Amino acid sequence: MQQLGDSSSPSFNPLVVLEFVSGTKEEAIAWLLSRIRAPQEAGGSGLLVEQLGPGVGAEQKDNPNLFLVGASWERLLSGAEDVGLFKEYSDGSMRGFTYVNRHNFKDFQGDGNGFLSMAECQYIIKHELETLRAKDETHVPGYSNAKLYPGKSIIRRLLSKGILIQMFPLHHKEELKRLSFSWYKKIKLSLQPLDEIRHYYGEGQALYFGFLEYFTFALVPMALLGVPYYMFDWEDYDKYVAFAVFNVVWCTIILELWKRSSATLAYHWGTLSRKKAFEEPRPGFHGVLGYNPVTAREEPLYPNSKRLLRIYLVSLPFVLLCLYLSLYVMMIYFQMEGWALYVHDQHPSFWTGVLLYIPSIIYAVVIEAMNLVYRYAAEFLTEWENHRLESSYQNHLVLKVLVFNFFNCFASLFYIAFAMQDMVLLSQSLATLLITSQILNQFMEAFLPYWLQRRRNKKMIRKVQKRKIPGDKELPLAEQVRLEADMSAYLGTFDDYLELFLLFGYVSLFSCVYPLAAVLVVLNNVTEVYSDAFKMCHVFKRPFADPAADIGVWQLAFETMSVIAVVTNCALIGMSPQVKAYFPESETQLILWTVAIEHGLLAFKFILTFLIPDVPKHIQIKLSRLEFESLEALKKKKMLEGAEFRKSVHGPDTPSYTKVEVHSCSLLVP
Amino acid sequence: MQQLGDSSSPSFNPLVVLEFVSGTKEEAIAWLLSRIRAPQEAGGSGLLVEQLGPGVGAEQKDNPNLFLVGASWERLLSGAEDVGLFKEYSDGSMRGFTYVNRHNFKDFQGDGNGFLSMAECQYIIKHELETLRAKDETHVPGYSNAKLYPGKSIIRRLLSKGILIQMFPLHHKEELKRLSFSWYKKIKLSLQPLDEIRHYYGEGQALYFGFLEYFTFALVPMALLGVPYYMFDWEDYDKYVAFAVFNVVWCTIILELWKRSSATLAYHWGTLSRKKAFEEPRPGFHGVLGYNPVTAREEPLYPNSKRLLRIYLVSLPFVLLCLYLSLYVMMIYFQMEGWALYVHDQHPSFWTGVLLYIPSIIYAVVIEAMNLVYRYAAEFLTEWENHRLESSYQNHLVLKVLVFNFFNCFASLFYIAFAMQDMVLLSQSLATLLITSQILNQFMEAFLPYWLQRRRNKKMIRKVQKRKIPGDKELPLAEQVRLEADMSAYLGTFDDYLELFLLFGYVSLFSCVYPLAAVLVVLNNVTEVYSDAFKMCHVFKRPFADPAADIGVWQLAFETMSVIAVVTNCALIGMSPQVKAYFPESETQLILWTVAIEHGLLAFKFILTFLIPDVPKHIQIKLSRLEFESLEALKKKKMLEGAEFRKSVHGPDTPSYTKVEVHSCSLLVP
């Protein structure tokens, strides 16, 4: 086993870093390393591990517990088969990669060096490390309280027990420089380099940036329509209705078309037809020891009824309380607003004119602060609900956060629009909320972390330069690894999508009242691309790739918002004086017509969802061709087996051969 | 090949009948029979075929072109693997049947006789016959205009060219007698024998009867609530609102719960996790020769754009025209209604009282007639649209028929309820429509075909008895086959579901106005069970089993109806004087509240759909256990292969063995 590591040592290419807590017992580290290095047949991972040499500033506080993990090309290729990677075949279609069939894949040359992207290699290593399972060990050597259960992931256990602090993939300086140049450093009229982003960060990230770009482009027609509205005829309600109708149709169609674009992207990235792996319990999950009904293995279980009690008796009331609080704050805002108006009316001056905007700005800041605090509370509560699977945890967290954020951001606008029916105040409020939250977001999201990171960076560079010849600007590997280990962890696309979701809300719900909203959102999105790209490349630790096939629960969130937008826009149209003029004598008739049209639009929306296929035709054909070929191959195989079987029954000339075939067949269709 | 048929000839068990058109050329029949008899390795079906001997009444007109198809048990078992049958495993879970693993299945005894039900055997034979594919023949021998394309189904081609008239499964007298006894002949308080129905007719039929039963039981609470309403306090709008609210909640919940029941049934019948086979073009499909982009085989293709033109330029206008016609007829009905009322008001007497009901009855009959005519037109049009797949054909047909039937049956009720706002007329109209259509339906559906069939039956029996000793009541096989060949073909569950759909509409849309509707529908359903069971057993040809996992597009149809029911019931509530009394000064307020509550209910409905899992927990666990085991098995297999591969690379001691393994592996993950 050891010689495998030694023999390929000259070409050792560090991909992933493991950081143990300082003072970890030697025996635990030695045990884990031997398990990682052990070949797969012996129940190990078959990977290469090396300890990071002491850095240039090898003072006492430098952590010696950093280990670099890599793998031979052969091991990575067989790992690619394990994780079910799809790659482009020689005929241009996407197929599941298999090691034996490797030479038929398009970009496979020589020994396969360069066939897998670095992000893929890191993903494979992460998968192999996470599926390194306990055998008959009862606990981690040296830590009798860190119990192990046969068949459960060792790495997850070490992480949840705090023995392993983190596991993260390394950046690649050269590639990163190239990517950041083509992404945001050159002044460009071109689109974002989605394929390169995917190559470096994986599909989840690339889909986010793809969605951001798509959303921005989808907003352009609306922004173009919005400018003349704002410039010329602000009070002309005739066009105002046209804008609302456009709004409704627009937000239905772009979401449907996005599904198709995302399917096209995911197909070419090989994640569309990739099967999901069996989901392991999330690291934080705890419970009483019992037998899992699915795997029949001994592991901690947590009764669902208890979880439901926690959700409905604690989380739900808490969310409702927060919503009430948010309403309360809104009411304070309206009082402040009224007071400012009163002051302005008494002694109008420039300063009282400015004062008019102050309550909105304060309210916007408070909203952002409440969102932030609530976000932490929601995370705490969802963690406490003790969900077994990461996906279920995510769904509950997203639901909690979305409901509150929606309420918190839009309640005041709904109140102004429908209870106060004051369209001027609505447009003014909308503008203040939108602009303030954008400025705050950009600051919190990119500039603040960047500034913190730069300080840390400079310190490190100064430290290195003290001991090295000047002129060589590149940091040595050891320092680079230490630097990255200290960077903040990127927490996923959750906050980025949430921001887009709220922006989508501002645009689709009320932009007919303030048509410039679309323009502002377009501007924001353009800077967002730059700041998000920047923070991905320079502020945060590199994240592991996430083989996503779509934007997941966010598609549903955006579609729900577009349904609410239909209702809101219809109500706004019904309330406009222009439409009211058509029904001079009877308000009842007006409302009935509005409701009828709204129902018609909603029905039309659902029909449209059915009519527009989610996957474009040419991708569908490719997918069914693959399916057809696999069915044909299975049939041919069965027929061959049948012939072999009959032969073996009639004349036992190839007994061992038949046995193997039978074995594989019974596994195939279990 | 021939001896296979001969050797098992004594135990030949006829399962399926093939009927050729009279005067079919000998060479075509001989060619087809030889293809059917040829073993699978030679591209045949490996089935047994025998010509039906001349009947007792072997006159000139007796068709000599009847052939019986059967198969050996071994062939049927390997066919069960081909079609992907799921059977109960020894551990109680449902697993895909494999021949090599056969002894581990629960009911497998001896050579497997009795393991498969007759319906399953017939389904397997149908599948094997339909997947008998043309090789290098260019046309059917003797019919140069009946072209064949390599890889395309021969039987479908013969059917579409009219050379083969029909292919149908035989009844089993004994089983049928037992089934019909336990189903509808004994006076029973028990439920329908769903498992036996499934055993004899397959899953599609059994699910229909399961749904019918479920729907009837679900109506019972509503019927129980309805009786006191009708008996005591007809005009008390207080309870009327309560009834509408109950209605809304009820129809949401029963549909969600049905999904769970149906999943439970389908799991135990083994259709829930069964994969759909690759869909072949439907027999009637035609087009210009080209290359199929999926299979890369030469076959007729029909451009989608042409089909869309046909749909949007011909079918859609035609449907709209029919809807207009239906409206026109409705207007005539209202004129008749007005005239009858006028006559009754002028000289009220018993007869004019009866006259009041006449227009409704005539209208109900006209509605049924229009539905019938439209049904044929819709079938013709959908056929003409030339859909490639049966599923797409079915979807377009169902959509066309549903929209028209909904409009035709309910337009007058909507008009009375919302335009005329006459609740007394509404309840009266509803009652007449419901009762008339039920009587008509039962007559058209069961008694008429039964009477026709009985006449044919008697004629045949008389003919047989003429030549045979009296006392032996059982018909000989040959006569039985001839009798069944002459029976009408059962056209599937379409009309049965459609009837239930309309009944569901009557109950869920307007039953708060006429609470007795639920009682009538329950009564109708009980008789419907008997008449449907009777017609299945005695009137129609036995249908092939249809391995359905759910009620398909009908679930969607019923859910759409329940959404419409929410809207309708909310509107009816809003219009009730009782609710109006809460808002004495402002009608606007009333409408706004109604709309708000309606939106709330719709949102609640959608949330409920998400919250209630479609598959019960214990079935989910079983399914994921199966998935987990299959993943584990695959992993183990790959590991074994990996070890073998490494061994073979280092020492070439088992080259042929490795080669086979590699081959099977590349097929596995294509």
Side-chain angles (χ1 to χ4, degrees), chain B residues 23 26-27 95-96 228 243 256 268 318 365 529 556 613 620 665:
Chain B
E26 285 290 331
E27 53 198 299
R95 278 157 202 253
F243 204 84
E256 279 307 304
H268 289 295
F318 175 79
V365 174
V529 168
L556 188 66
Q620 260 173 0
C665 163

Side-chain angles (χ1 to χ4, degrees), chain A residues 383-401:
Chain A
E383 183 75 47
W384 179 71
E385 281 163 19
N386 198 15
H387 293 275
R388 191 171 166 272
L389 300 179
E390 184 65 29
S391 60
S392 145
Y393 170 85
Q394 283 294 335
N395 286 344
H396 277 84
L397 181 63
V398 168
L399 185 67
K400 276 197 198 71
V401 172

